[in-house]
Amino acid sequence: MPAEKTVPAEDRNIDRQLGTARVKRGMAEMLKGGVIMDVVTPEQAKIAEDAGAVAVMALERVPADIRAQGGVARMSDPDMIEKIMDAVSIPVMAKARIGHFVEAQVLQAIGVDYIDESEVLTPADEAHHIDKFAFTVPFVCGATNLGEALRRISEGAAMIRSKGEAGTGNVVEATRHMRSIRAAIRSLAGMHPEELPAAAKELAAPLELIREVAAAGSLPVVLFTAGGIATPADAAMMMQLGAEGLFVGSGIFKSGDPAKRAEAIVKATTFHDDPEMVAKVSRGLGEPMVGINLSDLPDGQRLAQRGW
Amino acid sequence: MTVVGVLGLQGDAREHLRAVRECGLDSALVRRPEELAEVDALILPGGESTTMSRLLVAFDLMEPLRIRLAEGMPAYGSCAGMILLCREILDGRPDRRQLAVIDAVVRRNAFGRQVDSFEGDLDFVGVPGGPVRAVFIRAPWVEQVGCGVEVLARVPDVAAAGSAAGRIVAIRQGSVLATAFHPELTGDRRVHQLFCEMVTSPVGCK
């Protein structure tokens, strides 16, 4: 049965609009309730896909190794990213340095599905983040608090992740950032309209976005958590704290049995509100990654302090 | 009262729950076999079809869902949901499992990667009130349909649509509806209204 056409097809406006806010933010909506995993090889990407990851983050070194090895961390080799794109059918994300708009142009040119403008890499600009509206590909950015999240959204970020402290296997910073963002949203939602301009000033964020958050009681984009998640229980806690999904970096492939741990974290994310399920998948996972106590980390090595 | 379930393993289930409620029916999240048993219809949301298909098996939902669908439970799948409902999938992983209740062949990520994702207007058979704004995100299209499948929408067949021109993006077989795009993201509830009517007044033309 042919589709009915009320107007001749030639006269219709085929405004095939690419890269609209709805298309960029909508992509993140499709990842909700899922786990995005850091991978450094096509083989790891396949393990992540088999375990039920909703996307992979292609990079040369996981944050734990970037931490251990030091030096300047940059965008990955496009060759390596393309090999991972060829290996899996789920979306592939990649990281650009904060402010490095040419790395972002390169990642868009090779066709990655999402760019993470990430504090895990060494910042390329200490004053400006990338103008993300200038791109067709969507961006996710990190934030430690609501003001930072809204500043990134005002630059065009289509998804936010709380920063946590990447490569530590320690969930304490992720908890702090997620609680901070959610508490600030609740506080805005309870304010009178005349209080919102002062809140905008205090949070250093555009009033328009402040009003939007206050009215909706949520961010206008999807909110994930990242940085330090190492166990199914970590994953479930972040979801119960209000994350809509998770990024897991070093926590999987720096552990004893990555395939099993990856699958367990996926299941704990879906059933984050069911302790029996979280208990079930937490059994017999082997060694978790060795964690780092935040108090052992000198200030200069705190990645979450990058970006503003 | 009629309850429309929304599969909640992963994806934009919340947007579908809201859309159903705005159409005047009750909605409920479905993640367990016992929750599936309590709903009168099911929406398979947008998300990652590979992930959803794996979780359906892992959480013992695949077989109960097949049985409910075989018994005639109305269902609607958007994007990833469409992929799961169709008989055959091109460009997917060889080990994936299909629900196969619509006699159609679907191509995954047919329009390209995320940079090729787009929105545009479509005529939709059975949806009154002018074109539907359709949001396509790493979307599939339908390459072949069996004789029992009704084509409800296509990408307009014009040069500007490129390789997507004329592609089938919405189909119906009996009480099962599928769209390659995401009406749950736009606030226009006409497609959900159509599905809710299919649920409350079944036509029995399986």
Side-chain angles (χ1 to χ4, degrees):
Chain A
M1 179 174 162
E4 284 169 35
K5 293 195 172 73
T6 48
V7 184
E10 292 70 26
D11 299 344
R12 291 294 300 279
N13 177 25
I14 311 308
D15 55 338
R16 193 177 164 178
Q17 292 181 355
L18 301 169
T20 63
R22 207 146 53 185
V23 164
K24 289 174 168 179
R25 293 176 180 187
M27 169 77 199
E29 300 284 349
M30 301 312 144
L31 302 173
K32 280 192 305 197
V35 182
I36 299 163
M37 301 181 191
D38 278 4
V39 297
V40 300
T41 64
E43 292 69 36
Q44 288 188 354
K46 285 202 193 96
I47 291 171
E49 184 176 54
D50 284 345
V54 286
V56 291
M57 177 77 69
L59 70 177
E60 261 161 9
R61 295 181 287 170
V62 294
D65 288 335
I66 292 175
R67 229 175 239 300
Q69 294 161 13
V72 173
R74 311 177 178 91
M75 175 188 79
S76 299
D77 183 339
D79 228 18
M80 174 265 172
I81 297 170
E82 274 181 355
K83 279 186 190 136
I84 287 174
M85 287 164 63
D86 290 343
V88 293
S89 70
I90 54 177
V92 176
M93 300 185 168
K95 290 182 194 288
R97 282 179 266 178
I98 290 174
H100 206 313
F101 54 90
V102 174
E103 285 189 349
Q105 288 167 2
V106 169
L107 293 174
Q108 174 164 289
I110 64 177
V112 304
D113 294 299
Y114 235 95
I115 295 176
D116 183 3
E117 186 183 17
S118 176
E119 72 281 1
V120 167
L121 305 185
T122 310
D125 189 323
E126 295 193 328
H128 310 98
H129 281 252
I130 297 169
D131 171 16
K132 294 164 275 286
F133 289 114
F135 290 79
T136 307
V137 66
F139 282 74
V140 55
C141 288
T144 57
N145 56 52
L146 180 60
E148 194 176 359
L150 295 180
R151 288 193 290 281
R152 297 293 85 79
I153 294 168
S154 74
E155 298 156 0
M159 179 180 188
I160 294 293
R161 53 172 176 77
S162 61
K163 281 180 177 171
E165 190 57 37
T168 61
N170 187 340
V171 82
V172 66
E173 293 300 296
T175 306
R176 188 192 320 281
H177 300 156
M178 186 51 68
R179 280 196 185 278
S180 162
I181 292 170
R182 300 284 299 172
I185 291 172
R186 280 194 299 275
S187 157
L188 282 187
M191 283 184 189
H192 287 291
E194 69 270 20
E195 294 169 333
L196 295 177
K201 186 182 166 201
E202 193 190 319
L203 292 171
L207 178 56
E208 212 172 293
L209 279 175
I210 293 281
R211 286 193 175 122
E212 205 178 329
V213 171
S218 62
L219 287 182
V221 303
V222 166
L223 173 63
F224 270 46
T225 290
I229 293 142
T231 68
D234 288 349
M237 180 167 85
M238 298 319 299
M239 294 297 285
Q240 288 195 32
L241 285 174
E244 296 180 284
L246 307 170
F247 287 82
V248 182
S250 323
I252 289 170
F253 288 100
K254 285 284 162 192
S255 75
D257 188 345
K260 198 168 178 194
R261 184 166 294 265
E263 192 177 339
I265 289 177
V266 168
K267 289 178 174 173
T269 303
T270 298
F271 281 96
H272 56 88
D273 53 352
D274 181 341
E276 280 177 33
M277 181 65 80
V278 178
K280 189 175 152 195
V281 302
S282 296
R283 292 170 198 272
L285 293 182
E287 282 298 303
M289 77 176 281
V290 178
I292 298 175
N293 287 317
L294 270 294
S295 52
D296 298 342
L297 214 55
D299 247 17
Q301 288 180 27
R302 292 209 176 195
L303 304 178
Q305 292 172 355
R306 296 169 168 178
W308 40 93
Chain B
M1 185 164 173
T2 309
V3 179
V4 176
V6 178
L7 188 66
L9 297 175
Q10 188 273 317
D12 69 339
R14 200 172 53 208
E15 285 63 31
H16 280 288
L17 290 169
R18 188 183 307 142
V20 168
R21 280 195 287 265
E22 286 178 22
C23 291
L25 293 185
D26 268 357
S27 62
L29 206 61
V30 171
R31 291 181 300 176
R32 301 174 175 89
E34 55 272 29
E35 291 163 349
L36 176 63
E38 283 172 11
V39 298
D40 303 293
L42 189 71
I43 294 178
L44 294 91
E48 272 310 307
S49 61
T50 314
T51 306
M52 268 190 243
S53 145
R54 288 193 52 84
L55 292 178
L56 278 170
V57 175
F59 294 122
D60 303 320
L61 274 166
M62 192 63 107
E63 284 316 308
L65 183 49
R66 269 185 216 283
I67 292 167
R68 286 297 308 274
L69 290 167
E71 290 167 358
M73 175 182 70
Y76 165 42
S78 70
C79 195
M82 171 189 246
I83 294 171
L84 291 169
L85 290 169
C86 286
R87 170 174 59 82
E88 193 187 334
I89 171 176
L90 304 171
D91 283 7
R93 292 165 51 105
D95 60 340
R96 63 177 301 138
R97 313 254 314 262
Q98 294 299 112
L99 291 162
V101 282
I102 301 180
D103 182 12
V105 179
V106 69
R107 183 175 294 281
R108 204 169 169 267
N109 297 345
F111 294 92
R113 302 193 70 97
Q114 171 61 14
V115 286
D116 306 302
S117 293
F118 67 100
E119 54 179 286
D121 291 338
L122 299 178
D123 292 315
F124 198 119
V125 178
V127 170
V132 168
R133 188 73 177 166
V135 182
F136 293 88
I137 295 171
R138 284 172 47 97
W141 66 43
V142 176
E143 298 223 337
Q144 284 173 40
V145 292
C147 56
V149 178
E150 214 181 327
V151 172
L152 303 180
R154 293 172 185 264
V155 175
D157 193 5
V158 295
S163 62
R167 294 293 181 176
I168 299 167
V169 291
I171 51 178
R172 173 179 179 175
Q173 181 169 8
S175 56
V176 182
L177 176 71
T179 63
F181 53 92
H182 297 279
E184 72 276 14
L185 292 182
T186 60
D188 177 348
R189 299 304 179 212
R190 289 177 294 162
V191 174
H192 285 84
Q193 197 65 54
L194 171 69
F195 178 62
C196 288
E197 281 160 20
M198 288 167 59
V199 175
T200 51
S201 10
V203 283
C205 63
K206 182 109 176 108

